[in-house]
Amino acid sequence: MGLAKCACIDTLYTELPWRERFAAAKKDGFSAVEFWDWRCRDLEEIRREAEKADIVISGFNGDADYSLVDPEQKTRYLEALELSVKAAKKTGARSLTIHSNALGEGGVVLNSYDNLSHTVKLCAMYDTLLACARMAEREHINLNLEALNITTDHAGNFLVTTQMGAEICRLIGSPRLKLLYDVYHMQLNEGSLCDNIRKYSDQFGHVHVADAPGRHEPGTGEIYYPAVFGCLEKCGYRGFVGYELFPAQNTKKAVEAIMKYA
């Protein structure tokens, strides 16, 4: 397989100190790394260790305590995103991952906004994303909008389907705003992985991989990854595949399983 591999170093290489994870990922054959929250990290150290290891920083989370679906939070959401853009530039990261709802510790959805109608949430998300896309174009940074599963990890999240995320990105039409297609989340929410890849892969800016159930490395669950990766390649996907997974045993064994799909 010719897909470029990216290691999430908040879930892989956790046996090592943070600063050593960049070089470890590079040594194992990953082309890039990604992580979650930049606010708890030393940005200068991140850039230094990535440059020392000669590895790309694909990206990290760009949103904070505010949600796309609440129209009253638009200004604060954009202010928080602007800080993340500055952090990305400081570290050399290529992209920021954004979500419909603010996420807390462990990815818990902080507010599902049950007081807001589906229409209000959808229109608010579109409106704020339009402003996000303008910022991304102005600042030359990529944004990847991620849909999440609501069956296991992120109950109450608004954006749950490939179709909604991809169609919003198409309507906005910015080369700087794309969908983050997470195979694990979408298997839990909707299935039909290859059908959805064929329909919407033109809008994919990043792909996340973990098997389901369990969120471990490929081969530990029910997803037939040779077909998924083959479909991505056939559809012309050329971005990173980020391995955002929790090793079933340890990083060494997880990486061995990952590299079978080289």
Side-chain angles (χ1 to χ4, degrees):
M1 298 290 179
L3 299 170
K5 295 178 174 60
C6 174
C8 176
I9 54 174
D10 271 330
T11 60
L12 292 169
Y13 300 103
T14 57
E15 302 91 341
L16 299 175
W18 171 258
R19 66 182 181 277
E20 296 179 17
R21 299 178 191 179
F22 299 85
K26 178 70 174 183
K27 182 179 178 181
D28 281 341
F30 290 98
S31 302
V33 296
E34 61 181 289
F35 53 93
W36 293 333
D37 188 6
W38 62 267
R39 295 167 182 82
C40 61
R41 304 295 185 188
D42 182 328
L43 300 183
E44 292 182 359
E45 179 185 55
I46 290 170
R47 186 175 194 118
R48 182 176 65 250
E49 295 302 326
E51 289 178 348
K52 193 191 316 182
D54 190 27
I55 196 167
V56 171
I57 300 175
S58 172
F60 46 75
N61 288 348
D63 38 24
D65 300 327
Y66 308 108
S67 300
L68 291 169
V69 297
D70 184 351
E72 295 184 0
Q73 293 189 7
K74 177 180 178 179
T75 299
R76 286 172 290 175
Y77 186 95
L78 292 171
E79 290 171 347
L81 182 62
E82 190 170 13
L83 292 177
S84 294
V85 169
K86 291 178 181 178
K89 289 191 170 184
K90 191 168 185 177
T91 61
R94 296 183 178 182
S95 69
L96 296 170
T97 301
I98 57 177
H99 306 88
S100 62
N101 297 63
L103 304 175
E105 188 69 27
V108 173
V109 173
L110 296 180
N111 191 337
S112 58
Y113 299 96
D114 294 332
N115 59 309
L116 300 178
S117 70
H118 186 278
T119 302
V120 168
K121 292 177 185 178
L122 183 59
C123 290
M125 184 165 70
Y126 178 86
D127 180 55
T128 304
L129 282 173
L130 198 59
C132 291
R134 293 194 188 106
M135 183 191 300
E137 290 171 5
R138 184 176 67 248
E139 299 294 341
H140 305 286
I141 190 77
N142 295 323
L143 301 179
N144 294 312
L145 175 66
E146 183 176 25
L148 303 173
N149 84 75
I150 54 174
T151 66
T152 308
D153 304 299
H154 308 286
N157 197 66
F158 179 68
L159 182 58
V160 299
T161 67
T162 308
Q163 179 183 10
M164 180 187 284
E167 289 184 345
I168 284 178
C169 290
R170 277 181 183 163
L171 284 169
I172 291 174
S174 171
R176 293 290 185 178
L177 176 66
K178 296 296 181 181
L179 183 69
L180 194 166
Y181 184 73
D182 190 305
V183 181
Y184 162 76
H185 289 310
M186 293 304 96
Q187 172 68 2
L188 294 178
N189 275 355
E190 62 188 12
S192 299
L193 300 176
C194 290
D195 283 344
N196 282 313
I197 290 169
R198 283 187 284 267
K199 288 178 184 177
Y200 304 114
S201 62
D202 65 297
Q203 293 302 308
F204 292 1
H206 194 68
V207 170
H208 273 168
V209 160
D211 216 331
R215 205 171 185 176
H216 304 310
E217 57 268 25
T220 58
E222 66 191 12
I223 301 173
Y224 186 59
Y225 268 105
V228 171
F229 291 144
C231 188
L232 283 167
E233 287 193 295
K234 188 174 182 179
C235 289
Y237 178 71
R238 295 295 180 264
F240 287 117
V241 172
Y243 288 83
E244 188 192 44
L245 56 85
F246 297 92
Q249 298 182 48
N250 55 54
T251 299
K252 184 176 184 297
K253 290 186 177 298
V255 169
E256 289 173 356
I258 289 168
M259 292 303 165
K260 289 180 182 178
Y261 300 97

